[in-house]
């Protein structure tokens, strides 16, 4: 039976028994009972007996200490808008539908086609803010935060997919590419010819041949129109009715946008104690921010339950290993049928019989499913009964099943490295299904190769190494303080190092958040908590003077105050070294009185509110030192700072005229509403281009600013009592620290995480983590999330108490080593060090790639499990019957 | 060389990328000639020049190193 494939947005169909999508975890079939006709045939035909047709939902009760809400959002349904013709026209699609079209596993197998006639479009338009920043057509006043970036990405990728120089145009209001390095991507997209049209779209109407005519008003107020082959609506994020219902049932407060209500200083804490939230259920956000919040929620949970850690964990008993050193190889071979996946193509009984004839083989059997639980139990028994000391499984791929079979070896008292697989499914039966004879011959070859290699394998020792149960946090700003507290609350000792005499970092200079919360009060509370925590040792006025060791066992030298240098050992390191405000060279800063940065304005309003209240006219200039040739990045926080301060000034003196000169107002997510309020309160926002910057002048009477109004298209001059520059947030000068810790920074000096999307708080080097503005400019709430995330990741590593090292690692024979440095240069992980004139490879750090082994001119290095013999014996085994490779 | 010449190839594949790719080819049911034999290494950096010459000396028509 077929049903609409909801994962591909209904653009194709699927069977009623189905795997929802290719990355599904667990990767198992389920039955769509709405499409199912109830024949029950699936239960009868399943060879593994895995289908329980009468299975029904069950209610299970669990006792838990905390709950995390991560239910996410759906996307806005644009069929409510008649102006875009989405409901009726097949060539008006949502961005999610377009994602599926571009996907290799999507309805068109990754070929760029439009639904109407399956023709490749030559012109595609994206319409931004559909269901976002909109109170007239829907109830979503917020910005969805992700659509600008995904539209740019879709435009760039569809150009790559196109065969005929695709024309792409994005119709937008403000281009909000505010994330780390996003601005550079936006610039690249412009270089690649993606058109960005600042406009308001009026209507989308059908044109000839399935095309669509877009009528829009440009920035100058001109009405234009253009025809496109395909129109993509960049739909926003929206909390679904089910999530609203769930929150109600759990008695968790939502805000008026239906996101979970949180405080900016406790960004993952819900209104109900013990309940935490992360991801888009908390507010619109992208993947890295969601991942950070997920770890932050984990930190919040484990902080409240650290004493219970491992209390319900069951410890697996590990059998002692049999000594096989004097035994000859006795190979046991298990050939898998994998239902019909292998046996339908490869003659499995023939492979089985053939295996019996091969050297060192003492036992062979075939299984319907070698990986099934019952076969694993039987296999362990057989290994012991038959005295097998090398095991070969001919089945699927070691990438998914090696670990499972190795565990069975361990259960049978064998070292797990005495194991080899022959991949006769993924790389044989599935790829040669039309040639059964040669697929069988290949399977025999693969098994012969595996047996030959298995015969040469040696047991490898793995060692347990204690993890020092403490952390070092570098940096005592909001992020560092939060991370230190997070680690301490999880039950670990922490040393917190701050280079200044005072704690608090850049936040010390910020009075309020945009929500109006008192930052100083929060900081004082946080510092008091840190000082009062017996697990945290605080070192101010301190410098890191030396750093060595590796994950679990770091050794750091610290010079604090006038005290003598001391050494501390710690298992993890968190970097929270913060950022700094750019000192502008532009607009007469430092020369003309009355020109100041936003931080200076903040201090002035706090200390001398009367001075600020006396101003009649204030001009703010955005992107000072950001988004230019020198610093292409967006500093993310300055738009909201300007809006925050403009509204504060307006409150001090409602008669004050405030003009904000901007390039794009990047009031992402729920910040948008403060922008809306600011405009309602009479604050004027006017746009300028990078090429046509405002000019600040001063004469005896005071300051004046000339800018080109984008509607009037002519220069406008305003006088000002103060000109406030939204100066860029730049990386702290971390060079010496970065080189001491051997961590990577981006060209602009921000630390580089291991993976921009999926590992946003880990460094590539293990045991090192980062958070706060040292990663990229961000809000206090975002710094807190990331700091909690770093504490969570670091805590998870420490919680293991010891780590396994050894196994497949490189070993140096010092007798042969000439200390030539080739391995030092070859190692992609910078592990080898020359100590006493010979190479030294730390087995705790070695990743087992073997590059040094191949490069070593003296053949002084060997890689366990992958010696020359153990690799090339397979080629020799192939040679014995090379005619098989027809 | 006859018209129906089918080259025999030896391939060294990195566990993390190309070996995974060969697995994915299977999952996607891509069909290719059964005359290729794969050796898995933990990194293509482990492949020594000698292995390649050994492969060719052994009678293979070509040796791939993917990584």
């Amino acid at each position: 039976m077929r049903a609409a494939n909801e994962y591909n947005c209904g653009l194709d169909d699927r069977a009623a028994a189905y795997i929802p999508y290719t990355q599904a975890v667990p990767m198992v079939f389920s039955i769509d009972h709405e499409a199912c006709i109830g024949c029950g045939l699936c239960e009868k035909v399943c060879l593994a007996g895995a289908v329980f047709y009468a299975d029904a939902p069950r209610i299970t009760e669990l006792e838990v200490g905390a709950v995390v809400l991560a239910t996410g959002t759906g996307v806005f349904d644009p069929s409510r808008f008649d102006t875009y013709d989405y409901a009726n026209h097949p060539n008006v699609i949502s961005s999610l539908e377009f994602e599926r079209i571009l996907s290799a596993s999507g309805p068109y197998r990754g070929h760029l086609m439009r639904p109407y006639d399956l023709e490749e479009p030559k012109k595609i338009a994206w319409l931004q803010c559909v269901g976002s920043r909109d109170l007239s057509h829907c109830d979503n006043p917020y910005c969805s935060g992700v659509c600008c970036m995904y539209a740019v990405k879709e435009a760039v990728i569809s150009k790559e997919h196109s065969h005929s120089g695709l024309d792409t145009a994005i119709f937008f209001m403000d281009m909000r590419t505010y994330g780390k390095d996003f601005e550079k991507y936006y610039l690249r997209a412009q270089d690649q010819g993606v058109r960005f049209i600042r406009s308001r779209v009026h209507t989308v109407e059908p044109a000839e041949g399935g095309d669509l005519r877009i009528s829009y008003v440009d920035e100058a107020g001109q009405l234009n129109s253009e025809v496109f082959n395909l129109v993509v609506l960049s739909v926003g994020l929206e909390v679904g009715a089910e999530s609203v219902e769930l929150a109600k049932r759990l008695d968790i407060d939502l805000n008026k946008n239906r996101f979970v209500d949180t405080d900016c200083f406790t960004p993952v804490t819900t209104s109900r104690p013990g309940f935490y939230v992360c991801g888009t259920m908390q507010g619109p956000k992208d993947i890295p921010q969601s991942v950070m919040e997920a770890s932050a929620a984990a930190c919040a949970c484990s902080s409240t339950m650290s004493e219970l850690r491992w209390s319900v964990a069951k410890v697996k008993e590990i059998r002692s290993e049999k000594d096989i050193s004097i035994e000859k190889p006795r190979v046991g071979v298990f050939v898998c049928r994998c239902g019909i996946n292998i046996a339908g193509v490869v003659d499995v009984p023939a492979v089985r019989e053939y295996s019996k004839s091969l050297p060192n083989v003492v036992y062979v059997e075939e299984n319907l499913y070698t990986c099934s639980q019952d076969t694993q139990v039987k296999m362990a028994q057989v290994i012991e009964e038959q005295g097998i000391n090398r095991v070969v499984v001919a089945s699927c791929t070691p990438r998914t099943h090696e670990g499972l079979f190795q565990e069975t070896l361990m259960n049978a008292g064998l070292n797990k490295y005495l194991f080899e697989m022959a991949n006769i499914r993924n790389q044989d039966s599935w790829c040669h299904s039309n040639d059964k004879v040669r697929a069988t011959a290949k399977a025999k070859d693969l098994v012969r190769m595996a047996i030959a290699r298995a015969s040469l394998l040696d047991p490898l020792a793995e060692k347990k190494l204690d993890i020092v149960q403490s952390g070092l946090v570098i940096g005592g700003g909001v992020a560092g303080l939060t991370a230190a507290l997070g680690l301490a609350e999880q039950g670990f000792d922490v040393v917190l190092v701050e280079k200044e005499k005072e704690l608090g970092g850049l936040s010390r200079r910020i009075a309020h958040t945009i929500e109006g919360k008192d930052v100083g009060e929060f900081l004082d509370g946080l510092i008091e908590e840190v000082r009062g925590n017996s697990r945290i040792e605080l070192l101010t006025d301190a410098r890191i003077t030396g750093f060595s060791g590796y994950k679990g066992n770091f050794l750091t030298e610290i010079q604090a105050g006038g005290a003598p240098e001391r050494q501390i050992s710690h298992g993890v390191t968190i970097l929270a070294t913060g950022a700094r405000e750019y000192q502008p060279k532009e607009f007469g800063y430092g020369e003309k009185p009355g020109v100041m940065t936003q931080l200076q304005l903040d201090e002035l309003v706090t200390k001398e509110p009367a001075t600020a209240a006396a101003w009649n006219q204030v001009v703010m200039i955005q992107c000072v030192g950001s988004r230019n040739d020198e610093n292409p990045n967006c500093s993310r926080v300055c738009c909201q700072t300007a809006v925050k301060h403009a509204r504060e000034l307006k409150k001090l003196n409602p008669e004050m005229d405030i003009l904000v000169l901007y390039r794009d107002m990047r009031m992402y997510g729920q910040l948008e509403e403060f922008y809306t309020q600011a405009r309602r309160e009479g604050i004027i926002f006017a746009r300028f281009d990078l090429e046509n910057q405002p000019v600040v002048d001063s004469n005896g009477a005071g300051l004046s600013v000339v800018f080109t109004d984008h509607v009037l298209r002519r220069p406008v001059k305003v006088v000002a009592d103060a000109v406030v520059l939204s100066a860029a947030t730049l990386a702290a000068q971390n060079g010496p620290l970065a080189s001491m810790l051997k961590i990577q920074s981006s060209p602009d000096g921000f630390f580089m995480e291991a993976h921009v999307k999926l590992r946003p708080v880990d460094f590539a080097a293990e045991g090192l983590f980062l958070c706060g503005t040292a990663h990229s400019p961000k809000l206090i709430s975002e710094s807190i999330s990331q700091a909690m995330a770093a504490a969570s990741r670091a805590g998870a590593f420490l919680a293991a108490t010891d780590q396994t090292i050894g196994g497949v690692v490189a070993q140096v024979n010092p007798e042969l080593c000439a200390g030539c440095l080739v391995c030092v240069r070859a190692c992609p992980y910078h592990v080898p060090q020359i100590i006493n004139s010979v190479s030294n490879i730390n087995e705790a750090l070695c990743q087992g790639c073997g590059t040094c082994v191949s490069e070593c001119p003296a053949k002084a290095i060997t890689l366990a499990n992958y010696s020359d013999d153990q690799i090339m014996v397979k080629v020799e085994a192939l040679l014995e019957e090379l005619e098989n490779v027809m | 060389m006859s018209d129906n010449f089918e080259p025999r190839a030896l391939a060294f594949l990195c566990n993390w990328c190309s070996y995974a790719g060969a697995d994915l080819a299977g999952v996607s049911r891509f069909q290719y000639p059964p005359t290729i034999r794969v050796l898995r290494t933990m990194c293509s950096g482990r492949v020594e020049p000698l292995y390649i010459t050994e492969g060719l000396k052994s009678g293979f028509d070509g040796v791939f190193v993917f990584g």
Side-chain angles (χ1 to χ4, degrees):
Chain A
M1 289 308 297
R2 308 299 295 174
N5 183 354
E6 55 278 82
Y7 186 69
N8 281 340
C9 304
L11 291 166
D12 63 354
D13 61 8
R14 56 158 173 81
Y18 70 111
I19 290 175
Y21 41 89
T22 44
Q23 297 88 1
V25 179
M27 188 69 141
V28 290
F29 280 84
S30 51
I31 297 170
D32 176 355
H33 276 285
E34 283 186 17
C36 174
I37 55 164
C39 68
L41 193 63
C42 49
E43 184 166 359
K44 295 188 189 84
V45 297
C46 179
L47 292 172
V51 179
F52 176 34
Y53 186 75
D55 207 3
R58 283 177 293 256
I59 290 176
T60 309
E61 273 190 27
L62 294 172
E63 200 178 323
V64 297
V67 178
V68 177
L69 261 74
T71 52
T73 49
V75 294
F76 176 77
D77 174 10
S79 48
R80 281 180 252 174
F81 279 128
D82 47 6
T83 44
Y84 295 149
D85 214 12
Y86 172 79
N88 302 315
H89 203 295
N91 283 344
V92 180
I93 61 173
S94 77
S95 45
L96 202 59
E97 288 166 321
F98 192 69
E99 285 283 333
R100 298 313 305 149
I101 287 176
L102 286 180
S103 170
S105 61
Y108 306 153
R109 302 269 157 224
H111 294 290
L112 182 61
M113 298 195 291
R114 58 179 197 171
Y116 175 73
D117 46 14
L118 301 183
E119 288 286 318
E120 184 177 309
K122 306 236 173 335
K123 279 181 82 173
I124 308 180
W126 280 260
L127 310 188
Q128 296 309 103
C129 301
V130 176
S132 307
R133 303 181 68 185
D134 190 347
L135 274 171
S136 53
H137 295 88
C138 61
D139 199 15
N140 298 342
Y142 53 85
C143 157
S144 289
V146 295
C147 327
C148 283
M149 201 54 198
Y150 76 56
V152 179
K153 177 203 73 175
E154 287 180 353
V156 168
I157 292 178
S158 50
K159 272 181 171 289
E160 287 166 8
H161 281 232
S162 166
H163 299 90
S164 57
L166 178 71
D167 177 43
T168 54
I170 298 179
F171 293 82
F172 72 103
M173 296 195 279
D174 291 284
M175 187 43 60
R176 292 184 169 171
T177 46
Y178 56 86
K180 185 175 185 178
D181 287 337
F182 285 4
E183 184 74 8
K184 289 182 192 161
Y185 192 88
Y186 173 38
L187 292 171
R188 266 208 313 280
Q190 292 175 51
D191 289 344
Q192 288 169 20
V194 177
R195 291 190 288 141
F196 290 87
I197 302 172
R198 200 179 291 272
S199 57
R200 299 301 291 256
V201 169
H202 182 263
T203 43
V204 178
E205 291 163 315
E208 271 172 53
D211 292 347
L212 293 136
R213 175 175 297 280
I214 296 179
S215 307
Y216 65 95
V217 181
D218 66 18
E219 213 180 3
Q222 287 285 329
L223 185 64
N224 301 294
S225 81
E226 193 174 337
V227 173
F228 290 87
N229 305 132
L230 182 68
V231 172
V232 182
L233 305 180
S234 294
V235 288
L237 304 177
E238 194 174 67
V239 176
E242 277 183 340
S243 292
V244 172
E245 197 51 46
L246 177 72
K248 209 179 280 175
R249 210 158 57 236
L250 297 175
D251 195 22
I252 285 166
D253 291 349
L254 303 182
N255 64 23
K256 63 179 172 32
N257 298 325
R258 302 171 301 282
F259 295 104
V260 172
D261 200 20
T262 55
D263 185 275
C264 54
F265 298 136
T266 50
V268 296
T269 305
T270 72
S271 59
R272 183 170 171 185
F275 282 71
Y276 304 97
V277 64
C278 61
T280 51
M281 181 68 183
Q282 191 265 355
K285 59 181 64 73
D286 61 1
I287 292 170
Q289 194 64 31
S290 293
V291 173
M292 283 178 213
E293 271 184 13
S295 289
C299 175
C301 295
S302 85
S303 295
T304 58
M305 298 189 291
S306 65
E307 281 158 26
L308 298 172
R309 186 178 296 124
W310 303 124
S311 61
V312 291
K314 288 179 191 154
V315 181
K316 191 177 184 311
E317 213 176 297
I318 298 166
R319 282 192 55 172
S320 60
E321 272 174 25
K322 194 172 118 182
D323 179 15
I324 60 143
S325 56
I326 52 159
E327 292 180 10
K328 282 189 171 158
R330 293 176 58 82
V331 182
V333 182
F334 298 80
V335 188
C336 184
R337 298 178 67 87
C338 195
I340 57 165
N341 280 299
I342 295 170
V345 177
V346 169
D347 184 348
V348 170
V351 174
R352 181 195 65 207
E353 290 310 309
Y354 171 75
S355 305
K356 287 181 182 167
S357 70
L358 295 169
N360 300 325
V361 174
V362 296
Y363 178 84
V364 183
E365 69 171 50
E366 73 176 73
N367 316 107
L368 183 57
Y369 292 101
T370 310
C371 62
S372 68
Q373 182 65 35
D374 51 337
T375 311
Q376 292 301 290
V377 173
K378 233 180 72 200
M379 199 165 146
Q381 282 168 4
V382 167
I383 291 170
E384 288 205 86
E385 283 164 17
Q386 301 287 329
I388 291 167
N389 59 21
R390 306 286 191 290
V391 177
V392 168
V393 173
S395 61
C396 48
T397 167
R399 285 185 49 85
T400 54
H401 281 70
E402 191 173 47
L404 175 82
F405 295 128
Q406 284 184 326
E407 206 173 315
T408 302
L409 262 70
M410 286 155 75
N411 291 339
L414 266 189
N415 183 280
K416 70 174 190 182
Y417 291 102
L418 300 169
F419 174 74
E420 177 67 3
M421 279 180 88
N423 189 336
I424 62 168
R425 187 187 74 177
N426 295 46
Q427 297 183 12
D428 188 6
S429 67
W430 277 351
C431 301
H432 315 305
S433 49
N434 302 322
D435 194 344
K436 295 182 180 184
V437 174
R438 292 205 292 176
T440 302
K442 182 174 175 180
K444 287 178 180 174
D445 276 355
L446 294 173
V447 172
R448 190 169 71 253
M449 291 159 74
I451 292 168
R453 177 170 140 80
S455 304
L456 290 187
L457 294 176
D458 294 316
L460 301 183
E462 289 183 343
K463 280 186 285 187
K464 294 278 185 198
L465 195 69
D466 282 344
I467 293 171
V468 180
Q469 294 292 294
S470 65
L472 170 70
V473 178
I474 305 174
V478 165
L481 290 162
T482 306
L485 203 59
L487 263 183
E489 283 176 350
Q490 289 179 83
F492 304 106
D493 289 339
V494 188
V495 175
L496 174 61
V497 180
E498 164 59 43
K499 69 172 193 275
E500 305 292 336
K501 287 195 173 71
E502 193 189 21
L503 293 166
L506 213 53
S507 306
R508 269 271 164 250
R509 300 175 64 189
I510 299 171
H512 297 97
T513 67
I514 197 165
E515 295 87 359
K517 292 289 169 76
D518 191 323
V519 176
E521 196 183 293
F522 161 72
L523 253 183
D524 291 343
L526 183 63
I527 291 167
E528 198 177 317
E529 242 186 300
V530 165
R531 286 191 194 281
N533 192 307
S534 60
R535 288 194 176 278
I536 302 175
E537 184 184 355
L538 197 57
L539 299 174
T540 50
D541 192 14
R543 297 279 178 288
I544 307 289
T545 51
F547 185 84
S548 59
Y550 49 89
K551 59 169 178 170
N553 290 276
F554 293 108
L555 202 60
T556 301
E557 279 137 40
I558 301 168
Q559 172 96 60
E565 192 173 83
R566 55 180 277 205
Q567 267 193 343
I568 63 155
S569 60
H570 50 104
V572 291
T573 310
I574 297 177
L575 276 102
T577 49
R580 62 193 164 94
E581 188 186 50
Y582 167 66
Q583 294 303 297
K585 296 188 283 280
E586 303 89 334
F587 304 115
Y589 177 79
E591 295 160 16
K592 300 185 171 88
V595 180
M596 64 191 80
T597 65
Q598 292 285 1
L599 276 182
Q600 288 169 328
L601 172 67
D602 206 342
E603 284 164 333
L604 187 116
V605 169
T606 310
K607 289 182 189 142
E608 305 167 43
T611 309
W615 293 337
N616 294 315
Q617 288 196 299
V618 173
V619 178
M620 294 185 181
I621 303 175
Q622 299 302 103
C623 300
V624 180
S626 305
R627 300 181 66 194
N628 58 20
D629 289 341
E630 202 180 322
N631 174 27
N633 291 304
C634 163
S635 293
R636 185 181 180 116
V637 297
C638 347
C639 282
Q640 66 94 38
T641 306
V643 168
K644 175 180 73 175
H645 289 166
R647 294 186 64 220
E648 281 172 5
L649 289 175
K650 200 81 179 167
K651 209 169 279 175
L652 278 178
N653 173 6
E655 300 303 312
M656 198 186 299
D657 288 331
I658 303 168
L659 171 68
V660 180
L661 297 175
Y662 72 97
R663 290 175 54 199
D664 291 276
M665 278 311 284
R666 296 188 164 170
M667 300 296 285
Y668 58 94
Q670 298 182 86
L671 293 173
E672 175 72 13
E673 286 168 82
F674 298 105
Y675 178 35
T676 310
Q677 275 169 19
R679 281 174 293 163
R680 278 196 196 125
E681 287 159 8
I683 295 157
I684 307 291
F685 292 83
R687 221 182 59 74
F688 69 92
D689 289 317
L690 179 62
E691 301 74 37
N692 201 355
Q693 301 255 353
V695 177
V696 178
D697 214 347
S698 65
N699 53 31
L703 294 161
S704 67
V705 181
V706 178
F707 69 98
T708 306
D709 185 89
H710 60 272
V711 179
L712 302 173
R713 304 228 155 167
R714 59 175 59 180
V716 175
K717 183 176 178 177
V718 290
V719 294
D721 298 303
V723 172
V724 186
L725 308 181
S726 289
T729 303
L730 301 180
Q733 272 133 0
N734 286 322
L737 189 66
S739 59
M740 204 187 316
L741 273 65
K742 293 196 192 115
I743 48 179
Q744 291 183 317
S745 306
S746 59
D748 46 5
F750 289 105
F751 290 141
M752 263 163 70
E753 59 278 46
H755 189 287
V756 286
K757 299 272 183 252
L758 303 177
R759 292 176 63 194
V761 302
D762 302 5
F763 278 109
E766 291 174 279
L768 291 159
F769 305 89
L770 75 161
C771 59
T773 49
H775 164 268
S776 68
K778 54 177 67 71
L779 301 173
I780 290 175
S781 58
E782 293 163 342
S783 278
I784 293 170
S785 287
Q786 202 182 10
M788 290 173 76
S792 169
R793 297 283 296 162
F797 175 76
L798 292 178
T801 67
D802 58 25
Q803 52 185 326
T804 305
I805 62 164
V808 180
V809 290
Q811 288 152 336
V812 182
N813 179 350
E815 302 286 315
L816 296 176
C817 177
C820 70
L821 292 167
V822 164
C823 55
V824 175
R825 296 189 189 108
C827 178
Y829 305 96
H830 312 294
V831 177
Q833 288 179 316
I834 304 295
I835 299 173
N836 296 332
S837 308
V838 293
S839 172
N840 196 291
I841 296 175
N842 186 330
E843 56 184 341
L845 297 179
C846 178
Q847 303 289 314
C849 70
T851 305
C852 57
V853 181
S854 304
E855 294 279 337
C856 178
K859 288 267 164 206
I861 315 177
T862 47
L863 180 65
N865 225 26
Y866 290 92
S867 68
D868 289 343
D869 287 355
Q870 288 166 335
I871 294 172
M872 290 311 278
V873 71
K874 285 192 154 184
V875 178
E876 285 161 30
L878 262 177
L879 262 184
E880 289 164 15
E881 296 181 46
L882 192 60
E883 62 274 16
N884 274 352
V885 193
M886 286 181 289
Chain B
M1 206 178 284
S2 67
D3 284 347
N4 49 13
F5 168 68
E6 270 198 299
R8 299 177 294 186
L10 183 66
F12 291 94
L13 304 188
C14 159
N15 178 61
W16 309 105
C17 58
S18 40
Y19 192 87
D23 282 344
L24 183 62
V27 173
S28 313
R29 305 299 194 275
F30 289 163
Q31 302 295 305
Y32 55 84
T35 50
I36 186 165
R37 295 293 177 267
V38 167
L39 265 74
R40 180 171 72 125
T41 55
M42 295 315 278
C43 171
S44 51
R46 179 66 192 94
V47 179
E48 301 190 17
L50 194 69
Y51 298 178
I52 298 165
T53 53
E54 279 296 313
L56 293 171
K57 263 166 65 188
S58 305
F60 282 98
D61 298 306
V63 178
F64 291 116
V65 181
F66 288 130

